[in-house]
Amino acid sequence: MNTTQPLQLLAPLSGVLMPLDRVPDPVFSSRVVGDGLCIDPTSQTLCAPLSGVIDTLQDSAHAVSITADNGVQVLLHIGLDTVNLAGKGFTSRVTVGQRVEAGQALIDFDADYIALHARSLLTLMLVVSGEPFSLLAEEASCIESGAPLLQVRSGEQGAVDEARQGSVLFSKPLIVPNESGLHARPAAVLAQAAKGFEATVQLHKQQASANAKSVVAIMALQTAKGDSVQISAAGPQAGQAIEALEQLLLSGCGEGVQAPLTLTPVMSVEPSMPDRLRGVCASPGSAFGEVVQIASQAWDIDESGVGIEAEQAVLDQGLEQAMQALKALQDEAAGSVQAQIFRAHQELLEDPTLLEQAQALIAEGKSAAFAWKAATEASAALFQQLGSALLAERATDLADVGQRVLKLILGVQDNAWHLPEQAILVAEQLTPSQTASLDTSRIGGFVTVGGGATSHVAILARALGLPSLCGVAQSVLALANGTRVLLDADGGELHVNPSPALIEQRQAAGDRQRQRHQHDLEQAAQAARTLDGHRVEVSANVGSLRDVEQSMTLGGEGVGLLRSELLYLERVQPPGHDEQAALYSAVARVLGPERNLVVRTLDVGGDKPLAYVPMAHEANPFLGMRGIRLCLERPQLLREQFRAILACAGLARLHIMLPMVTQLAELRLARQMLDEEVRHLGLKQAPKLGIMIEVPAAALMADLFAPEVDFFSIGTNDLTQYTLAMDRDHPRLASQADSLHPSVLRLIARTAEAARTHGKWVGVCGALASDPLAVPVLLGLGVDELSVSVPLIPTIKACVREWNLDECHTLAQRALAQESAEQVRDLLRTHSSTGSPAPMAMEH
Ligand code: PEP
Ligand code: MG
């Protein structure tokens, strides 16, 4: 509603008045944002110049706009280029949608900090709705906050551009390249360009749209770098408008930006843009530090030996010393995962094939060093060629063990790496032995060319809570030691020589994240209930007793997935009944009779081979004899495992879960076998039996499985790889193999619906449950339990507490209707207060 009543605007600050022409920023001085004035402030609180409603407030709190009842809209912008401060130095006292009175305090700011860290403190007050005004104070005079400053003649603005409507044209999806999104300056440039066309032009981000001729409306969209937006236009010049504005948007709207991002994930960097390298997040977080290149070493080795006995003795001694060192490392290893790796290395030292190969070469007259090197390299090459990412990573372990023994044979001293305060380690691939000798207190993060989520460095990084990026282009190996880099694992990027503004922005974000984490930890022991009181069980994914103990200290409410295969891997014989029963019982005792313990039966197969279960080579191991298929083919293995699991019945609320179930017949056979074992042991009560939903066939047939199971647990890691036909360990597909893809969400929805209809509970134990962004969708789809990676228990519980179940239902329905995982992520980011990490490579 516009009237012709004059409206008085008050000074929002005390300070010296200046005309816009003197502002050293052409976007403001040229008045493309709107006409108004500028104040060089002497006070530190920005106040409302008029009564109205706050319609935009930048996240960084450096700019705010207010619309009065008569439609006059005023933008206040504190300082120049202050968006780069990412909120540091600003404290907002109001929120979007709030009604404020003239003179009310809006934003407090730290003038000293801004003066030191931004281009200028000059503050702008602009009438962006376009009404003419007259000045009530003298230019260059000192004014007091709250004094009358402008008289606006409302209702006289120029006629609104009513372009004739025709059919609406859309641009292709465009990725915002600007470091700080479309903030005031690029928004002004875009709006100015849009105004040049006889067409109505809209900018769309997800479901939200803005008039692209209005700076304020564009800013209100709160776009961020990397957001996907679209331009639409209708009217006589719609086509030209789309063409020109597409170009303008991709080029950064007048801001210096790096080459535009495309929607397809880019794994390598072009030579023309060495200041940013892309990769895949193997462990979330960000860190600023100096590059330390960790190159692998090579030595001169004599091929000929000095005698068979002497060389054999040298090899034996090397193997013995390596064994002792690995035992010591295993004992010292801080985390259970590390310890398991060093135990696996000991097994490799005893591998009969490897030893036979080395001995045969020594018998031919070769030196111990030559023989050992040749034997380990030949086996590693074989592993590499088998086409399995997991075996390829075992090849890295083999190479690592090979080097360890070789150095002992050659008497080479271990390299003591001298690390700066905050080192970002860069390597083709890092081996367990290399990282074991490092001072981890000085490591800020890891960057590797090779590797995936299952690589040692990814596991180590996650255990230490350090950011890590894998799958980065080879050119990263050319960075000089000491180069300053910003490792942004969440964004999947390594910034080389980043600007101070970028560093500060990320550090501020990191500080906020740490504060939030501290708060989450303090609340960890409390139940996870939504705002409207809906209880969600948050339990742990574990592989060892130590994990279970840690999960309990972090507020874990049970074990939703015990990966029993960790007991079976990297050994020459299956674990006996007593060893298995001892582990299950120890875990059950820690949990007690009130908590769930979900033991997953052996989930191995082509991709996780067992030395004592010989199997034919499979061209596609992920589609081969995995999980329950293998166990039903070797029923004795499963029967023995059932017996060992049943030994802990009564100590906890025991649940048994079958992996990789595809057919109803598999479930029925396994149940029959379990019932027989229960009868055999004379147990009064059978444990609960459920299945993992990780094969699309099982999700699609969940309505037929539901009556025959006690529960479902959705394995989103495998469900995603099978639904999207993308290998979960493929480094180049890792960013696309995103479990938030709507197709995966639809299968989850179908599973949850079937469970609800038949009164069964449904959990999620794949990595999606550990993604804070996914929490509302999973709750909205009807998931009852989230089984998450141990360190993330407090975070996920805190996420649950932020939502109303009704909101979750609505959001989940909207997510199901999106076209891509990116769109789902964008949708969730706009509704979430949590950080928005990039999709993380899946864990095993
Ligand atoms: C899954 O597939 O999501 C899952 C939890 O099982 P794993 O990662 O052990 O295959
Ligand atoms: Mg799985």
Side-chain angles (χ1 to χ4, degrees), residues 600 603 626 660 692 694 715 717-718 728:
R600 177 172 74 184
D603 184 17
R626 284 192 70 191
M660 282 290 293
M692 289 196 69
E694 50 185 348
N717 304 344
D718 278 316
R728 58 190 269 178

Side-chain angles (χ1 to χ4, degrees), residues 38 49 215 299 362 496 555 573 608 625-626 679 704 753 799 803:
C38 171
V215 181
W299 302 281
I362 291 176
V496 181
Q573 282 184 344
K608 297 179 203 161
M625 296 307 296
R626 284 192 70 191
R679 273 198 303 279
L704 297 185
E753 175 61 24
C799 289
W803 293 92

Side-chain angles (χ1 to χ4, degrees), residues 18 20 22-29 33 37-41 62-63 76-85 90 113-126 183-185 255 501:
M18 280 171 52
L20 274 191
R22 300 225 351 244
V23 176
D25 188 326
V27 167
F28 294 119
S29 59
V33 181
L37 48 78
C38 171
I39 301 169
D40 197 357
H62 70 287
L76 300 152
H77 192 286
I78 306 170
L80 301 179
D81 285 352
T82 35
V83 64
N84 294 331
L85 300 182
F90 298 94
Y113 181 85
I114 297 168
L116 277 175
H117 294 86
R119 188 146 70 101
S120 162
L121 246 181
L122 291 178
T123 294
L124 302 136
M125 179 166 101
L126 309 173
H183 64 101
R185 281 150 42 75
E255 272 195 334

Side-chain angles (χ1 to χ4, degrees), residues 573-588:
Q573 282 184 344
H577 172 276
D578 292 351
E579 184 183 347
Q580 287 194 56
L583 174 76
Y584 303 137
S585 302
V587 168

Side-chain angles (χ1 to χ4, degrees), residues 720-736:
T720 305
Q721 83 161 341
Y722 294 130
T723 305
L724 299 179
M726 289 182 187
D727 184 336
R728 58 190 269 178
D729 290 318
H730 199 303
R732 306 236 328 261
L733 291 174
S735 61
Q736 286 188 68

